[in-house]
Amino acid sequence: MDKTALARRYTSLWTGEFVSAIIFAALLLWTASRDGHWQHWLVRTYSVSVVIFILIQGTGWWRWKLRVLKQNQRTLPEPVLQRYRRWRTVNWGLIVCFPLAVFGAMSVADWPANSLDIWLGLLFWIGAILEQINYYYVQLMYNSRYDWDYLKTHRRLRTGTVAKALQNSSLE
């Protein structure tokens, strides 16, 4: 892929991640404000917040990749890679804390375990796990011809973009 096409791809990726984060936040706030019972929104708010946090990391990643491309460099600065290494760990901590959010919400709101909030929270929690894997482990999103050609040729999932950079870093 030439530099211009790669710049367009990075721009569309960071923009898409950013717009997705805004849409998730806006829909959560809009639907929560219509319901009026904040206790019904604790679990899904937690899960959506984790997804948004990971999407914002993706936004930053693709913006950094674009910056590096425009500066004709090949690698991201080590402090940026350090930050993403820490976020990988923080993300897992937030994901693992999901059951605590459920139990905390159940004790505060005193509602049954099959509530809509828990089911929607669980759905978004799975989304957070998938986003985490997509960035920090293996690529799950195949949305370009290049990605599909790689999958067909190698018959395996590609290493995630952040994972690859962290593996190639001198710090890992």
Side-chain angles (χ1 to χ4, degrees), residues 1 20 63 71 85-86 88 101-103 105 118 124 140 151 155 171-172:
M1 198 179 294
S20 296
R63 287 188 55 106
Q71 294 173 349
R85 192 170 285 109
R86 279 191 307 272
R88 177 180 56 192
V102 172
F103 290 125
I118 291 176
F124 284 109
L140 300 176
L151 188 60
R155 298 190 187 280
L171 297 174
E172 189 152 285

Side-chain angles (χ1 to χ4, degrees), residues 6 19 49 69 95 109 113 124 132 144 152 156 164-165 169:
L6 199 53
V19 169
S49 297
L69 179 69
I95 288 167
F124 284 109
Q132 174 78 347
S144 73
K152 284 189 264 182
R156 64 181 173 86
K164 192 182 309 178
S169 168

Side-chain angles (χ1 to χ4, degrees), residues 56-75:
I56 294 299
Q57 291 169 38
T59 299
W61 180 260
W62 295 117
R63 287 188 55 106
W64 266 107
K65 293 287 283 184
L66 183 60
R67 175 187 278 176
V68 165
L69 179 69
K70 288 180 178 179
Q71 294 173 349
N72 293 319
Q73 297 175 351
R74 295 192 49 85
T75 59

Side-chain angles (χ1 to χ4, degrees), residues 148-162:
W148 284 107
D149 288 345
Y150 181 93
L151 188 60
K152 284 189 264 182
T153 302
H154 294 89
R155 298 190 187 280
R156 64 181 173 86
L157 299 176
R158 292 176 58 176
T159 302
T161 183
V162 178

Side-chain angles (χ1 to χ4, degrees), residues 68-105:
V68 165
L69 179 69
K70 288 180 178 179
Q71 294 173 349
N72 293 319
Q73 297 175 351
R74 295 192 49 85
T75 59
L76 273 68
E78 283 298 324
V80 173
L81 294 173
Q82 284 272 90
R83 190 176 313 134
Y84 279 88
R85 192 170 285 109
R86 279 191 307 272
W87 281 341
R88 177 180 56 192
T89 303
V90 168
N91 293 346
W92 280 123
L94 293 170
I95 288 167
V96 167
C97 285
F98 176 76
L100 296 174
V102 172
F103 290 125

Side-chain angles (χ1 to χ4, degrees), residues 115-133:
S115 101
L116 178 63
D117 187 38
I118 291 176
W119 289 108
L120 289 174
L122 188 59
L123 181 68
F124 284 109
W125 178 69
I126 291 167
I129 292 170
L130 292 174
E131 276 296 318
Q132 174 78 347
I133 291 169

Side-chain angles (χ1 to χ4, degrees), residues 39-57:
Q39 299 94 339
H40 298 170
W41 292 84
L42 295 173
V43 176
R44 73 187 96 171
T45 298
Y46 181 83
S47 297
V48 169
S49 297
V50 175
V51 170
I52 290 170
F53 183 60
I54 296 171
L55 288 172
I56 294 299
Q57 291 169 38

